[in-house]
Amino acid sequence: MRITALAGGVGGARFLRGLLHHLSGRSDGPHTLTVIGNTGDDISLFGLRVCPDLDTLLYTLGGGVHEAQGWGRADETFAVQGELAAYGAQPQWFGLGDRDFGTHIARSQWLGQGMTLSAVVERLAQRWKLPEQGVTLLPMTDTPVETHVVIEDEDGSERAIHFQQWWVQHQAALPAKRFVVAGLNQAAAAPGVLDAIRTADLILLPPSNPVVSIGIILSVPGVRDAMRGTTAPVVGVSPLVGGAPVRGHADACLSAIGVPVTPDGVAGLYADFLDGWLVDKADEASMTGTEPAIRAIPLLMTDIEAAAEMASEAIELGLSLRR
């Protein structure tokens, strides 16, 4: 199978790691996986370009992630961040470890030399041995884009702050009026992105944030049209369990755009192309309508085997929906 996935950070990365674990045990291989990663979370810090979702995918699929956090590097130290704090360099609300700094320095150097983000990601992926696992990681676009959150101050005036500031520093506690993606109107899908959607045998939407991860990828010109036009079955995994996100602030994001915080509400965001939808057993009774095809299973990724079982169910549902 040629599998293509649209993914954000921790939830998407853990699901895809489970998918690889499952695929490695199948007898009908070889299989390939192309991951289209969200770059709407990207931010420039300390003169360096930081790509949080892409890096989480790299570290998780490459075996170097901090397991307890789900992001950042394992066995991390923070000497550089400490020195920056001693100098009064800001911001300090976004922690970067010493090993992590190596990734950002290399990426920023290569971008400064004129390499595209796609070429940089390809080089980083080689360091993490993703090609050896049959994985191709693509940024959604080579154009620099950044998601901003419009909030309302006490005097009623509106202002925009970077998504990372809203998400990390404020823990999404500031009510969001709307999301704006700077640079998106000049963006184009990165090389290989549209072909990966058009030529896939199966397309998966892992349990990533439907608004500011998968939703941003779908907003890149041409991507949503490709999803509508693909002949591959599209199967998504609900990011909600018992009507609430397992981690992160997907509920705050959904509320900001007026979408119910339910698996049914999330599925509605993909209604123009979604064929199959995995929901947690606790949410099965809340689903309405006859489309997409629903399958209820346990959705907690307690370990890699649980994630692999989820991925197996997604594949089997997709195969049953082949056009």
Side-chain angles (χ1 to χ4, degrees):
M1 285 181 291
R2 293 167 296 181
I3 301 174
T4 295
L6 279 57
V10 179
R14 286 180 168 171
F15 174 84
L16 293 174
R17 182 173 59 180
L19 173 65
L20 292 177
H21 184 70
H22 168 70
L23 291 176
S24 69
R26 291 179 70 109
S27 60
D28 57 350
H31 308 289
T32 61
L33 171 63
T34 300
V35 182
I36 302 169
N38 172 46
T39 62
D41 290 5
D42 293 5
I43 186 171
S44 293
L45 297 168
F46 310 114
L48 302 174
R49 193 63 175 165
V50 179
C51 302
D53 280 1
L54 293 179
D55 293 345
T56 296
L57 288 162
L58 287 167
Y59 299 158
T60 303
L61 300 183
V65 76
H66 188 303
E67 286 293 343
Q69 293 178 160
W71 51 270
R73 293 286 302 278
D75 302 318
E76 190 61 281
T77 54
F78 294 88
V80 174
Q81 185 90 30
E83 283 299 304
L84 289 168
Y87 284 120
Q90 298 295 327
Q92 287 296 318
W93 47 262
F94 197 102
L96 297 174
D98 299 331
R99 295 172 183 264
D100 202 24
F101 262 114
T103 302
H104 310 318
I105 292 169
R107 174 170 44 235
S108 301
Q109 180 184 45
W110 295 330
L111 288 172
Q113 292 170 350
M115 291 179 64
T116 64
L117 182 59
S118 293
V120 171
V121 170
E122 182 179 8
R123 186 174 290 186
L124 294 173
Q126 290 171 354
R127 180 261 187 268
W128 289 103
K129 297 180 170 53
L130 266 60
E132 296 177 19
Q133 302 180 64
V135 178
T136 300
L137 177 60
L138 303 174
M140 66 183 195
T141 180
D142 283 337
T143 305
V145 296
E146 293 188 2
T147 303
H148 292 80
V149 185
V150 178
I151 61 173
E152 186 175 295
D153 288 328
E154 292 181 359
D155 61 2
S157 61
E158 293 185 351
R159 63 186 175 95
I161 61 175
H162 195 284
F163 170 79
Q164 293 294 349
Q165 186 176 4
W166 181 73
W167 187 266
V168 177
Q169 182 180 19
H170 297 291
Q171 294 293 295
L174 301 177
K177 304 285 288 185
R178 59 187 179 277
F179 300 98
V180 178
V181 186
L184 192 61
N185 57 338
Q186 288 91 33
V193 166
L194 299 183
D195 283 343
I197 295 171
R198 293 167 178 154
T199 63
D201 297 313
L202 174 65
I203 297 176
L204 298 177
L205 305 180
S208 298
N209 191 300
V211 181
V212 293
S213 290
I214 293 178
I216 302 300
I217 299 173
L218 291 170
S219 297
V220 175
V223 171
R224 194 168 203 114
D225 286 342
M227 293 290 289
R228 294 189 187 110
T230 184
T231 59
V234 180
V235 175
V237 182
S238 171
L240 306 175
V241 173
V246 177
R247 60 179 297 147
H249 315 294
D251 49 350
C253 297
L254 290 165
S255 297
I257 63 171
V259 172
V261 185
T262 64
D264 214 12
V266 177
L269 295 174
Y270 312 138
D272 49 335
F273 55 77
L274 188 65
D275 299 304
W277 190 228
L278 293 185
V279 302
D280 190 78
K281 285 184 175 294
D283 297 309
E284 184 176 14
S286 69
M287 300 303 297
T288 61
T290 58
E291 293 185 351
I294 304 297
R295 182 173 295 187
I297 63 170
L299 288 187
L300 288 176
M301 292 185 286
T302 51
D303 52 34
I304 192 169
E305 284 75 20
E309 182 59 30
M310 286 171 53
S312 173
E313 293 282 358
I315 289 174
E316 295 311 312
L317 178 57
L319 293 178
S320 74
L321 297 171
R322 277 183 169 170
R323 300 181 176 94

